[in-house]
């Protein structure tokens, strides 16, 4: 069954392996790439699919030399960005000195007003990743992919993007002196297009949706035109994906080296959710947090809900959908990590749920009104799903709960376009009184 899910990767994997020259690279504690399906191992390189079964490859590590207390001290003494976790990431030890956009260590906001409104008593937190350099969580994964690109000798960075990734790649490439050429659906929000274009790289709009863009990039990788390109979410995907672990590390460290009981995570490809789980598992194994149960909840928009549809139907295969939602950053109709998300939600006792576009807008306004955080539509999805799951009794209000906001509302202004002036008045007190504002 798993093999059938992966059929589409077959030709891409073979092409990529054929053009890869093996080199010895220093990626710190990373030792190999390991297949998530069959465990087959290959040396670290710009490959992403298993040559035996076409399953996705992920980074394997050797953490055996670490002493828990020494590691904790080293992390706490590290920089206020993702590189404080360099000992747990596929990067060289001296990564903090290299030109990178150094994302991470974003605020974990104790959301007491929102908690009151939603009836949460066990502690509600918003992990606000809009505080990253290009205002989305994507800076974490790109920072990671950039180091891999450097190690493998790529000079051009590329990606297929639902918007935020394009901006993150453009900024990281500019800072590190790479060329960038990124691909997006042509009809994205203006805020996302400008944010991606301003860094001076090439930005190409594709006539189609994200899944079309992604297919195009897979073809480009196998073509001489794409030779020597590091596609952060294709041939560098195993490295890229590890960047999401830092969300799990930060949340636990910011809670005082404690696991949250419940985490609500948005799903586009599902990569972020699976790596948050991997990060939590690593902290448990390393003894940095107490081994207690935690539940991971996935959030989608109804107009692109292939994973929540499969979850609710009890399926373990995800059927692709054609996206139609204002949550464009999450609009991946054929999510690569969908089956793994289902496994994790079920294993941890979590769930996957979706909300309508109207509920997304309401949730954006709710978060803004209660906590002063202006989320993009993806944040409206997680807050909306949190509210829905609390009302359904699926999320436990007495437990410590962390909700992710992964992007900035300034990039998706259209979603709340109805919001505006309370009144327009002449610059006189009379006019002010007439408007009923005194
Ligand atoms: C890309 C993105 C996500 C999730 O991405 P995955 O592909 O599931 O890892 C979540 N929120 C925002 C704002 C994004 O841009
Ligand atoms: Zn395999």
């Amino acid at each position: 069954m798993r093999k059938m899910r992966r059929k589409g990767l077959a030709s891409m994997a073979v092409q990529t392996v054929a053009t890869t020259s093996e080199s010895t690279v220093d990626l710190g504690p990373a030792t190999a790439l390991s297949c998530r399906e069959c465990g087959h191992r290959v040396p670290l390189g710009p490959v992403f699919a298993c040559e035996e079964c076409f399953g996705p490859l992920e980074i394997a590590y050797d953490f055996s030399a670490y002493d828990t207390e020494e590691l904790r001290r080293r992390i706490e003494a590290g920089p206020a960005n993702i590189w404080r976790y360099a000992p747990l990431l596929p990067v060289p030890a001296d990564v903090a000195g290299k030109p990178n956009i150094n994302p991470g260590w974003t605020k974990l906001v104790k959301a007491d007003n929102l908690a009151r409104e939603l009836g949460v008593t066990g502690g509600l937190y918003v992990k606000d990743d809009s505080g990253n350099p290009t205002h989305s969580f994507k800076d974490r994964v790109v920072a990671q992919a950039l180091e891999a690109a450097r190690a493998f000798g790529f000079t051009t960075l590329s990606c297929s993007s639902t918007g935020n990734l394009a901006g993150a790649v453009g900024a990281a490439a500019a800072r590190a002196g790479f060329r960038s050429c990124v691909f997006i659906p042509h009809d994205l929000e203006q805020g996302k297009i400008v944010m991606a274009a301003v860094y001076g790289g090439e930005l190409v709009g594709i006539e189609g949706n994200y899944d079309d863009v992604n297919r195009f990039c897979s073809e480009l990788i196998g073509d001489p035109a794409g030779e020597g390109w590091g596609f952060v979410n294709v041939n560098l995907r195993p490295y890229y994906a590890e960047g999401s672990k830092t969300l799990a590390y930060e949340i636990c460290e910011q809670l005082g080296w404690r696991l949250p009981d419940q985490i609500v995570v948005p799903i586009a490809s599902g990569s972020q959710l699976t790596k948050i789980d991997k990060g939590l598992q690593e902290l448990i194994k390393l003894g940095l947090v107490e081994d207690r149960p935690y539940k991971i909840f996935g959030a989608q928009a109804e107009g692109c809900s292939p994973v929540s549809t499969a979850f609710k139907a009890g399926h373990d295969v995800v059927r692709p959908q054609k996206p139609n939602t204002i949550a464009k950053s999450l609009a991946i109709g054929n999510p690569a990590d969908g089956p793994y998300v289902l496994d994790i939600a079920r294993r941890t006792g979590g769930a996957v749920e979706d909300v309508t576009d109207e509920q997304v807008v309401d949730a954006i306004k709710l978060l803004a009104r209660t906590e002063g955080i202006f989320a993009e539509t993806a944040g409206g999805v997680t807050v909306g799903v949190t509210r829905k799951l609390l009302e359904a009794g699926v999320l436990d209000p007495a437990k410590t709960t962390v909700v992710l906001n992964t992007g900035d509302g300034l990039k998706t202004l259209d979603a709340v376009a109805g919001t505006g002036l309370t009144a327009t008045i002449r610059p006189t007190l009379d006019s002010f009184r007439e408007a009923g504002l005194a």
Side-chain angles (χ1 to χ4, degrees):
M1 181 173 48
R2 271 283 159 74
K3 265 184 196 154
M4 283 180 56
R5 293 172 184 168
R6 305 282 160 209
K7 223 163 49 187
L9 287 173
S11 58
M12 290 150 64
V14 172
Q15 285 161 348
T16 308
V17 170
T19 57
T20 299
S21 63
E22 244 173 60
S23 54
T24 44
V25 293
D26 174 16
L27 289 173
T31 55
L33 290 166
S34 161
C35 174
R36 274 201 273 182
E37 291 295 321
C38 76
H40 178 71
R41 287 192 172 214
V42 292
L44 293 167
V47 287
F48 59 98
C50 177
E51 59 201 348
E52 300 286 328
C53 76
F54 306 120
L57 297 173
E58 73 174 344
I59 313 285
Y61 297 92
D62 180 8
F63 293 150
S64 61
Y66 294 145
D67 169 80
T68 305
E69 287 316 310
E70 215 175 282
L71 178 60
R72 190 196 313 270
R73 274 193 299 275
R74 189 166 149 198
I75 290 170
E76 288 174 350
N81 58 50
I82 61 169
W83 306 129
R84 66 201 280 109
Y85 306 107
L88 306 178
L89 295 170
V91 288
D94 63 347
V95 65
K98 307 230 168 100
N100 198 297
I101 46 173
N102 302 332
W105 204 242
T106 55
K107 289 178 195 162
L108 183 69
V109 179
K110 184 127 196 293
D112 290 339
N113 299 327
L114 181 62
R116 245 189 319 277
E117 188 110 359
L118 298 180
V120 175
T121 54
L124 180 63
Y125 297 83
V126 176
K127 179 60 173 169
D128 188 9
D129 245 16
S130 67
N132 278 315
T134 71
H135 305 265
S136 90
F137 114 92
K138 288 296 197 304
D139 290 321
R140 295 177 185 273
V141 282
V142 169
Q144 200 57 72
L146 173 68
E147 294 309 322
R150 216 192 310 263
F152 299 135
F154 291 122
T155 52
T156 299
L157 279 191
S158 186
C159 68
S160 53
S161 169
T162 55
N164 284 315
L165 186 57
V169 167
R175 168 120 177 92
F178 283 66
R179 176 189 170 210
S180 75
C181 182
V182 305
F183 301 93
I184 56 173
H186 70 104
D187 61 350
L188 286 185
E189 302 96 332
Q190 185 70 3
K192 298 242 173 82
I193 291 174
V194 171
M195 189 80 189
V198 76
Y199 304 104
E202 286 142 275
L203 176 68
V204 181
I206 302 264
E207 292 168 6
N209 62 28
Y210 174 81
D211 299 288
D212 299 316
V213 178
N214 202 32
R215 217 165 16 246
F216 167 77
C217 284
S218 303
E219 273 181 47
L220 182 52
I221 272 191
D223 190 273
E227 219 176 289
W229 288 28
F231 287 80
V232 303
N233 55 343
V234 190
N235 57 352
L236 297 174
R237 190 171 181 83
Y239 310 89
Y240 160 99
E242 294 296 288
S244 289
K245 293 195 308 181
T246 59
L247 271 166
Y249 300 155
E250 286 180 21
I251 289 167
C252 290
E253 187 179 352
Q254 289 169 324
L255 287 173
W257 293 110
R258 204 162 53 83
L259 289 168
D261 298 314
Q262 311 177 122
I263 310 188
V264 185
V265 183
I267 299 167
S269 73
S271 173
Q272 180 187 88
L273 188 146
T274 64
K275 297 305 170 184
I276 285 176
D277 179 61
K278 188 181 184 192
L280 297 177
Q281 291 293 324
E282 286 174 352
L283 294 184
I284 291 171
K285 285 199 196 91
L286 287 159
L288 286 166
V289 296
E290 193 193 337
D291 187 1
R292 299 193 293 118
Y294 59 84
K295 296 184 178 184
I296 299 190
F297 297 83
Q300 296 205 292
E302 187 185 275
C304 182
S305 52
V307 188
S308 70
T309 301
F311 181 86
K312 291 184 217 176
H315 296 161
D316 62 358
V317 179
V318 174
R319 278 184 56 190
Q321 291 181 0
K322 207 173 155 75
N324 180 18
T325 169
I326 58 168
K328 294 188 181 184
S329 56
L330 304 182
I332 298 184
N334 188 12
D337 286 291
Y340 298 107
V341 168
L342 293 172
D343 290 347
I344 290 165
R346 289 178 180 137
R347 190 192 77 225
T348 65
V352 187
E353 188 51 273
D354 55 83
V355 282
T356 65
D357 282 358
E358 199 184 330
Q359 289 169 318
V360 170
V361 173
D362 286 348
I364 291 173
K365 291 178 180 169
L366 172 66
L367 182 63
R369 170 167 69 71
T370 53
E371 299 298 340
I373 296 172
F374 184 20
E376 79 142 84
T377 44
V381 168
T382 51
V383 173
V385 161
T386 301
R387 172 150 72 180
K388 187 169 174 180
L389 290 177
L390 281 163
E391 282 165 7
V394 177
L395 272 168
D396 185 343
K399 300 280 191 189
T400 305
T401 304
V402 176
V403 182
L404 264 55
N405 172 41
T406 47
D408 193 322
L410 286 173
K411 292 198 215 176
T412 58
L413 285 174
D414 281 353
V416 286
T419 321
L421 300 173
T422 305
T424 303
I425 63 170
R426 294 182 303 282
T428 66
L429 287 173
D430 279 348
S431 182
F432 178 68
R433 286 197 187 87
E434 275 162 31
L437 295 166

